[in-house]
Protein backbone atom coordinates (compact mmCIF):
# COMPACT_ATOMS: atom_id res chain seq x y z
CA UNK A 1 0.00 0.00 0.00
CA UNK A 2 1.52 3.25 -1.22
CA UNK A 3 -0.36 5.37 1.21
CA UNK A 4 -1.68 3.62 4.31
CA UNK A 5 -3.17 6.96 5.40
CA UNK A 6 -5.78 6.87 2.65
CA UNK A 7 -6.86 3.36 3.74
CA UNK A 8 -7.35 4.64 7.26
CA UNK A 9 -9.49 7.50 5.95
CA UNK A 10 -11.54 5.06 3.83
CA UNK A 11 -12.14 2.76 6.81
CA UNK A 12 -13.15 5.76 8.88
CA UNK A 13 -15.58 7.00 6.22
CA UNK A 14 -17.14 3.55 5.79
CA UNK A 15 -17.47 3.30 9.55
CA UNK A 16 -19.25 6.64 9.80
CA UNK A 17 -21.48 5.77 6.86
CA UNK A 18 -22.31 2.42 8.42
CA UNK A 19 -23.37 4.05 11.67
CA UNK A 20 -25.62 6.47 9.83
CA UNK A 21 -27.51 3.71 8.07
CA UNK A 22 -28.23 2.11 11.45
CA UNK A 23 -29.70 5.24 13.02
CA UNK A 24 -32.88 7.08 11.95
CA UNK A 25 -32.06 9.41 9.04
CA UNK A 26 -31.75 13.00 10.15
CA UNK A 27 -34.52 15.35 9.06
CA UNK A 28 -32.53 17.85 7.06
CA UNK A 29 -33.10 20.55 4.48
CA UNK A 30 -36.44 22.23 3.76
CA UNK A 31 -38.48 19.70 5.76
CA UNK A 32 -36.59 20.39 8.97
CA UNK A 33 -36.69 24.13 8.26
CA UNK A 34 -40.48 24.29 8.63
CA UNK A 35 -40.46 22.32 11.90
CA UNK A 36 -37.67 24.56 13.22
CA UNK A 37 -39.41 27.77 12.09
CA UNK A 38 -42.50 26.73 14.05
CA UNK A 39 -40.33 26.30 17.15
CA UNK A 40 -40.42 22.49 17.23
CA UNK A 41 -43.19 20.73 19.19
CA UNK A 42 -43.12 23.19 22.10
CA UNK A 43 -43.44 26.15 19.73
CA UNK A 44 -46.33 24.46 17.94
CA UNK A 45 -48.01 23.75 21.29
CA UNK A 46 -47.75 27.49 22.15
CA UNK A 47 -49.23 28.43 18.76
CA UNK A 48 -52.13 26.01 19.34
CA UNK A 49 -52.81 27.51 22.80
CA UNK A 50 -52.80 30.98 21.22
CA UNK A 51 -55.13 29.71 18.47
CA UNK A 52 -57.56 28.30 21.03
CA UNK A 53 -57.86 31.68 22.80
CA UNK A 54 -58.55 33.31 19.44
CA UNK A 55 -61.19 30.70 18.57
CA UNK A 56 -62.90 31.30 21.93
CA UNK A 57 -63.01 35.05 21.14
CA UNK A 58 -64.12 34.58 17.52
CA UNK A 59 -67.91 34.98 17.22
CA UNK A 60 -67.83 33.38 13.75
CA UNK A 61 -66.77 29.96 15.08
CA UNK A 62 -66.66 29.87 18.91
CA UNK A 63 -70.13 28.25 19.10
CA UNK A 64 -68.84 25.22 17.19
CA UNK A 65 -66.42 24.46 20.03
CA UNK A 66 -68.96 24.45 22.88
CA UNK A 67 -68.21 21.63 25.35
CA UNK A 68 -64.81 20.97 23.77
CA UNK A 69 -62.39 18.57 25.50
CA UNK A 70 -59.68 21.24 25.62
CA UNK A 71 -56.79 18.96 26.61
CA UNK A 72 -57.52 16.40 23.92
CA UNK A 73 -58.01 19.03 21.21
CA UNK A 74 -54.76 20.79 22.19
CA UNK A 75 -52.74 17.56 22.18
CA UNK A 76 -54.18 16.24 18.94
CA UNK A 77 -54.00 19.47 16.97
CA UNK A 78 -50.42 20.01 18.17
CA UNK A 79 -49.44 16.50 17.07
CA UNK A 80 -51.18 16.92 13.73
CA UNK A 81 -49.46 20.21 12.92
CA UNK A 82 -46.14 18.81 14.16
CA UNK A 83 -46.48 15.76 11.90
CA UNK A 84 -47.53 17.93 8.93
CA UNK A 85 -44.40 20.00 9.51
CA UNK A 86 -42.37 16.77 9.28
CA UNK A 87 -41.62 16.84 12.98
CA UNK A 88 -41.14 13.66 15.03
CA UNK A 89 -44.77 13.46 16.19
CA UNK A 90 -47.48 10.90 15.63
CA UNK A 91 -51.07 12.01 15.26
CA UNK A 92 -53.32 9.66 17.24
CA UNK A 93 -56.63 11.54 16.97
CA UNK A 94 -59.59 10.74 14.76
CA UNK A 95 -59.66 11.20 10.99
CA UNK A 96 -60.53 14.70 9.79
CA UNK A 97 -63.70 13.61 8.01
CA UNK A 98 -64.96 11.61 10.99
CA UNK A 99 -64.26 14.27 13.61
CA UNK A 100 -65.86 17.17 11.70
CA UNK A 101 -68.84 15.38 10.18
CA UNK A 102 -72.24 16.69 11.24
CA UNK A 103 -70.84 20.08 12.34
CA UNK A 104 -72.06 21.80 9.17
CA UNK A 105 -68.79 23.70 8.90
CA UNK A 106 -69.02 26.35 6.17
CA UNK A 107 -66.26 27.68 3.95
CA UNK A 108 -66.48 30.96 5.90
CA UNK A 109 -65.94 29.11 9.19
CA UNK A 110 -63.01 27.19 7.74
CA UNK A 111 -61.44 30.44 6.56
CA UNK A 112 -62.10 32.06 9.97
CA UNK A 113 -60.12 29.30 11.72
CA UNK A 114 -57.30 29.60 9.20
CA UNK A 115 -57.27 33.37 9.78
CA UNK A 116 -57.00 32.79 13.56
CA UNK A 117 -54.14 30.36 12.96
CA UNK A 118 -52.31 32.96 10.85
CA UNK A 119 -52.73 35.52 13.65
CA UNK A 120 -51.45 32.97 16.18
CA UNK A 121 -48.37 32.23 14.03
CA UNK A 122 -47.82 35.95 13.50
CA UNK A 123 -47.96 36.59 17.25
CA UNK A 124 -45.36 33.85 17.74
CA UNK A 125 -42.90 35.27 15.19
CA UNK A 126 -43.27 32.51 12.60
CA UNK A 127 -41.77 33.81 9.33
CA UNK A 128 -44.29 34.33 6.49
CA UNK A 129 -42.70 31.68 4.27
CA UNK A 130 -43.11 29.05 7.00
CA UNK A 131 -46.70 30.19 7.66
CA UNK A 132 -47.51 29.71 3.98
CA UNK A 133 -45.83 26.31 3.90
CA UNK A 134 -47.96 25.07 6.80
CA UNK A 135 -51.14 26.57 5.31
CA UNK A 136 -50.41 24.82 2.01
CA UNK A 137 -50.37 21.52 3.91
CA UNK A 138 -53.71 22.32 5.58
CA UNK A 139 -55.51 23.45 2.41
CA UNK A 140 -56.11 19.90 1.08
CA UNK A 141 -58.00 19.10 4.33
CA UNK A 142 -60.72 21.57 3.35
CA UNK A 143 -62.91 18.93 1.72
CA UNK A 144 -62.75 16.64 4.76
CA UNK A 145 -63.46 19.38 7.32
CA UNK A 146 -66.23 21.44 5.77
CA UNK A 147 -69.93 20.53 5.54
CA UNK A 148 -70.28 17.18 3.75
C1 LIG B 1 -57.59 22.93 8.47
C2 LIG B 1 -58.58 23.03 9.32
C3 LIG B 1 -58.77 22.14 10.53
C4 LIG B 1 -57.94 21.21 11.09
C5 LIG B 1 -56.55 20.81 10.64
C6 LIG B 1 -58.62 20.66 12.24
C7 LIG B 1 -58.09 19.70 13.08
C8 LIG B 1 -58.72 19.15 14.16
C9 LIG B 1 -58.17 18.17 15.05
C10 LIG B 1 -56.77 17.57 14.94
C11 LIG B 1 -59.08 17.88 15.97
C12 LIG B 1 -58.93 16.87 17.14
C13 LIG B 1 -59.42 15.51 16.73
C14 LIG B 1 -59.46 14.50 17.87
O1 LIG B 1 -59.35 14.90 19.04
O2 LIG B 1 -59.55 13.28 17.59
C15 LIG B 1 -60.23 18.69 15.69
C16 LIG B 1 -61.39 18.68 16.43
C17 LIG B 1 -62.37 19.61 16.28
N1 LIG B 1 -62.50 20.52 15.27
FE1 LIG B 1 -61.23 20.84 13.78
N2 LIG B 1 -59.84 21.25 12.36
C18 LIG B 1 -59.96 22.16 11.34
C19 LIG B 1 -61.03 23.00 11.11
C20 LIG B 1 -62.10 23.12 11.95
C21 LIG B 1 -63.15 24.12 11.80
C22 LIG B 1 -63.21 25.15 10.67
C23 LIG B 1 -64.00 23.93 12.84
C24 LIG B 1 -65.24 24.69 13.21
C25 LIG B 1 -65.48 25.94 12.87
C26 LIG B 1 -63.51 22.82 13.63
C27 LIG B 1 -64.10 22.32 14.76
C28 LIG B 1 -63.63 21.29 15.52
C29 LIG B 1 -64.27 20.81 16.75
C30 LIG B 1 -65.53 21.37 17.41
C31 LIG B 1 -63.48 19.75 17.22
C32 LIG B 1 -63.71 18.89 18.48
C33 LIG B 1 -64.49 17.66 18.11
C34 LIG B 1 -64.62 16.69 19.28
O3 LIG B 1 -63.76 16.64 20.16
O4 LIG B 1 -65.64 15.98 19.29
N3 LIG B 1 -62.36 22.35 13.07
N4 LIG B 1 -59.99 19.45 14.58
Amino acid sequence: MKNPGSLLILVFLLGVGGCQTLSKPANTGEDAALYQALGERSGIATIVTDLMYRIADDKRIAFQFKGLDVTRFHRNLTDLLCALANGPCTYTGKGMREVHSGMDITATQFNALVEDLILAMEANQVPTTAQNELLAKLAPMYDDVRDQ
Side-chain angles (χ1 to χ4, degrees):
M1 164 83 42
K2 267 192 206 152
N3 182 359
S6 61
L7 179 65
L8 269 181
I9 290 167
L10 183 67
V11 167
F12 176 74
L13 287 176
L14 283 174
V16 170
C19 286
Q20 276 173 346
T21 57
L22 286 177
S23 61
K24 203 179 165 204
N27 182 9
T28 53
E30 258 179 65
D31 287 357
L34 176 57
Y35 181 60
Q36 298 302 328
L38 293 169
E40 303 189 349
R41 195 185 184 285
S42 68
I44 295 168
T46 304
I47 292 167
V48 171
T49 301
D50 190 318
L51 170 66
M52 289 172 73
Y53 280 114
R54 288 173 198 277
I55 289 174
D57 280 343
D58 190 336
K59 288 191 181 70
R60 298 169 297 178
I61 52 174
F63 68 93
Q64 289 280 23
F65 292 84
K66 228 175 143 195
L68 181 75
D69 181 337
V70 172
T71 310
R72 178 192 163 95
F73 179 79
H74 183 273
R75 182 188 61 237
N76 284 337
L77 186 56
T78 300
D79 280 337
L80 180 70
L81 297 182
C82 173
L84 282 176
N86 300 302
C89 306
T90 306
Y91 175 66
T92 57
K94 293 180 190 164
M96 289 296 100
R97 189 170 280 265
E98 185 191 352
V99 78
H100 297 100
S101 80
M103 287 188 202
D104 295 332
I105 295 173
T106 63
T108 308
Q109 290 171 13
F110 183 91
N111 290 338
L113 188 138
V114 170
E115 202 181 298
D116 291 339
L117 174 60
I118 293 169
L119 291 171
M121 290 194 285
E122 201 68 48
N124 287 281
Q125 290 81 44
V126 176
T128 311
T129 44
Q131 290 183 27
N132 290 338
E133 247 185 88
L134 184 66
L135 296 175
K137 288 170 185 278
L138 290 175
M141 293 182 177
Y142 175 74
D143 281 341
D144 287 337
V145 168
R146 74 182 172 87
D147 183 24
Q148 321 286 327

